[in-house]
Amino acid sequence: MHLTQGRLRILGALFLTALCSSVGVDISRAQAKSVSGKIAGVVNDSFGTPQLGATVEMVSEATGVAAARDFLTNTQGIFRGERLAPGFYTVRVTLAGYLPTLEQHVRITSHLTTVVRIQLESMFASLDQLRHQPASSAVEADDWKWVLRSASVARPVLQWMDDGSLSAANSGFDAIAKRPRARLEFTDGARHPGSGSNLPATPATAFAYDQKLGTSNRLLLAGEMNYDSDAPGGGFATVWLPTGSLGNGPHSALVLREAKLGPEGPTFRGVRIEQGGAFTVGDRNTLHYGGEYVMVGLGSSAVSVRPHLQLDTQISNDWHTALVFAAQPDAALFGSSDLDTGAALAAALDALDAFPTLLLRDGHPVLQNGWHEELAVERKLGTRGKIQAAAFHDDNRHVAVFGRGTNLPSSDYLQDYFSNGFAYDAGSSGSWGTRIALKEKLNDNVEVTAVYAFAGVLTASDFVEGPLRDLLRTAMRNSMAANVSAKVPHLGTKINVGYKWVDGVTISRLDNYGESLFQTDPYLHLAIRQTLPKFGPGRWEAIADCDNLLAQGYVPLSSQDGRVVAVPAFRTFRGGLSLQF
């Protein structure tokens, strides 16, 4: 992968700019109670330094209640939890390099916030305290164990033996079973239609599995297989989370995909290997890093290395900024915020279709790629809202254009076997842009998002003598998007509806990075999740995802390749049943 001097200067600006934002972690549960309480706390080491990424587990001390709530500390060492049933809890904090710490009998009261402060000690500090214990003091045998306990009433996690050796033991907290979570989907339709990189739009069964290992490790598995005998396909994904955090902790992912593109067509094979994580730089800065290696084969092979860097700085309690350098489309597997169990399983399934779009250029496979650089400033609006302003630059080398047509040159058009759709390499395109986004949670059940963007897109010209890519040019366009997410508690219905308007003719996506960040798709889209009456084990849901319901944005074009219709966003429907247990 070759970087120009200009791009290297942009990459260098990532490490020279100190005005970036940090991302707090706020984990909430979907089933809230009207008499719930809250907890807020800070985790420091023995020197008073806040600890980022500490895992906080809360377990109710009520008889027969074994479900645990998990939280993660942010860059200030702060964690928060809401919708907790009143009663007494045991709070356990773990972090690599430190002894586990227990706080028992923490009381949660209705309509109040319980504040706790937890101090972690390293193993070496505890041993040093034991070594300097005054010889004249009267010490009982069990007290020598106490200095290495996570709590005085728990079993020792480390014990000093008479012969000078160390013996490790469980704290007793791990006896609580870590029940796995799983999800099954029976669907018809593609998540991201239009490319051989995605799973085909046929009836299929998918599964996802979330298993906690030990105190903090977490393993996500996902797979899918379709039932079309003419174009069989499937995939498998595994994600390893050493700290159990889906958004901010380190993660490693491996995705394998294979699909036959029609009974007489070639076979697509793909491998994605991804690694990511975060670490603090000083007191206010956090660097989120990641990257993926992608290799696909379709006759011959195509390879892409796709990095992602984001430098965040907390300016104050209300202000923070972010400086982003990422492959386009975004190479990050997960977002910056933690997800609950249900969303984690859904994210694992989405990883199966996270390959960049596969294209053809002169008969050889290439992958959609480019670079996205962005500087964003964000301000909190009260406790439920935020507003962001961003300036960005997109430099795309292989822009994916989708459309419909027949009898097109097979050397440049990758046709979809199930329709007359195709994916096409439109060449390079670059532009600067701006974005203003407002996001606010009106109440516990309704959240609204509004986004304005001004950026460059591919549009059609009057030239008709050459191939399709010679008809396309970059032009600046405005767009407005609004999105509403709502939950109907008594009916168990979740609705996500939105509309994105773009002025003028567009052939490609406007602000692809912002669309992914704020979940705003072009034109009218609707997603519904309806909880079904309980029968048998688990929770059943009916799912329906509709994109571009009004079939807007279709652009007819004529070139020496033939007549085609460019489609920035296909009108599609994907539905089925989901079972989670």
Side-chain angles (χ1 to χ4, degrees), residues 361-445:
R361 187 72 178 258
D362 298 327
H364 300 287
V366 295
L367 292 170
Q368 178 188 12
N369 66 57
W371 302 105
H372 177 84
E373 301 94 17
E374 177 174 313
L375 175 61
V377 180
E378 186 176 292
R379 187 184 189 280
K380 290 182 180 180
L381 300 177
T383 59
R384 293 178 175 265
K386 63 181 181 180
I387 186 170
Q388 183 195 85
F392 56 87
H393 177 255
D394 289 326
D395 183 13
N396 299 309
R397 295 305 178 91
H398 295 282
V399 181
V401 168
F402 301 96
R404 291 177 177 171
T406 57
N407 301 320
L408 300 172
S410 60
S411 61
D412 283 333
Y413 293 81
L414 185 58
Q415 294 278 167
D416 180 16
Y417 170 71
F418 297 95
S419 67
N420 59 355
F422 64 81
Y424 180 78
D425 179 11
S428 61
S429 173
S431 69
W432 292 87
T434 59
R435 181 193 321 117
I436 300 176
L438 173 65
K439 192 170 186 177
E440 185 164 1
K441 196 169 186 178
L442 301 182
N443 53 50
D444 292 339
N445 297 318

Side-chain angles (χ1 to χ4, degrees), residues 18-38:
L19 297 177
C20 311
S21 67
S22 62
V23 179
V25 177
D26 185 10
I27 307 173
S28 62
R29 296 281 180 170
Q31 297 178 346
K33 294 185 179 180
S34 60
V35 293
S36 61
K38 301 179 181 180

Side-chain angles (χ1 to χ4, degrees), residues 281-551:
V281 182
D283 296 333
R284 295 178 177 269
N285 303 316
T286 302
L287 180 63
H288 300 268
Y289 64 90
E292 64 177 359
Y293 172 82
V294 181
M295 182 176 66
V296 301
L298 190 71
S300 57
S301 62
V303 176
S304 178
V305 179
R306 313 168 67 80
H308 178 101
L309 296 172
Q310 180 171 324
L311 182 61
D312 296 339
T313 296
Q314 186 80 28
I315 300 176
S316 66
N317 290 334
D318 295 331
W319 290 89
H320 65 273
T321 60
L323 191 60
V324 179
F325 175 81
Q328 181 79 328
D330 187 13
L333 176 62
F334 298 115
S336 58
S337 61
D338 245 8
L339 304 175
D340 59 26
T341 299
L345 296 172
L349 289 173
D350 288 340
L352 296 169
D353 278 335
F355 283 87
T357 302
L358 177 64
L359 308 167
L360 290 177
R361 187 72 178 258
D362 298 327
H364 300 287
V366 295
L367 292 170
Q368 178 188 12
N369 66 57
W371 302 105
H372 177 84
E373 301 94 17
E374 177 174 313
L375 175 61
V377 180
E378 186 176 292
R379 187 184 189 280
K380 290 182 180 180
L381 300 177
T383 59
R384 293 178 175 265
K386 63 181 181 180
I387 186 170
Q388 183 195 85
F392 56 87
H393 177 255
D394 289 326
D395 183 13
N396 299 309
R397 295 305 178 91
H398 295 282
V399 181
V401 168
F402 301 96
R404 291 177 177 171
T406 57
N407 301 320
L408 300 172
S410 60
S411 61
D412 283 333
Y413 293 81
L414 185 58
Q415 294 278 167
D416 180 16
Y417 170 71
F418 297 95
S419 67
N420 59 355
F422 64 81
Y424 180 78
D425 179 11
S428 61
S429 173
S431 69
W432 292 87
T434 59
R435 181 193 321 117
I436 300 176
L438 173 65
K439 192 170 186 177
E440 185 164 1
K441 196 169 186 178
L442 301 182
N443 53 50
D444 292 339
N445 297 318
V446 180
E447 184 177 69
V448 297
T449 303
V451 182
Y452 166 79
F454 177 71
V457 295
L458 290 179
T459 187
S461 67
D462 297 330
F463 181 74
V464 296
E465 297 298 329
L468 177 59
R469 65 177 58 92
D470 291 344
L471 274 69
L472 306 179
R473 60 182 178 85
T474 302
M476 303 301 291
R477 293 285 188 266
N478 296 280
S479 72
M480 287 289 298
N483 195 79
V484 179
S485 297
K487 294 183 290 186
V488 185
H490 298 294
L491 299 178
T493 306
K494 300 178 183 178
I495 301 175
N496 185 289
V497 60
Y499 185 86
K500 180 176 180 178
W501 166 84
V502 183
D503 71 325
V505 176
T506 61
I507 308 299
S508 61
R509 293 290 187 96
L510 188 151
D511 187 18
N512 196 23
Y513 187 89
E515 286 183 354
S516 175
L517 185 64
F518 293 99
Q519 300 297 306
T520 55
D521 294 325
Y523 309 112
L524 180 62
H525 60 273
L526 173 66
I528 299 176
R529 301 289 185 272
Q530 176 61 59
T531 301
L532 301 178
K534 184 174 179 60
F535 60 94
R539 184 184 67 194
W540 288 86
E541 282 186 343
I543 59 178
D545 296 328
C546 308
D547 290 329
N548 196 5
L549 283 172
L550 303 179

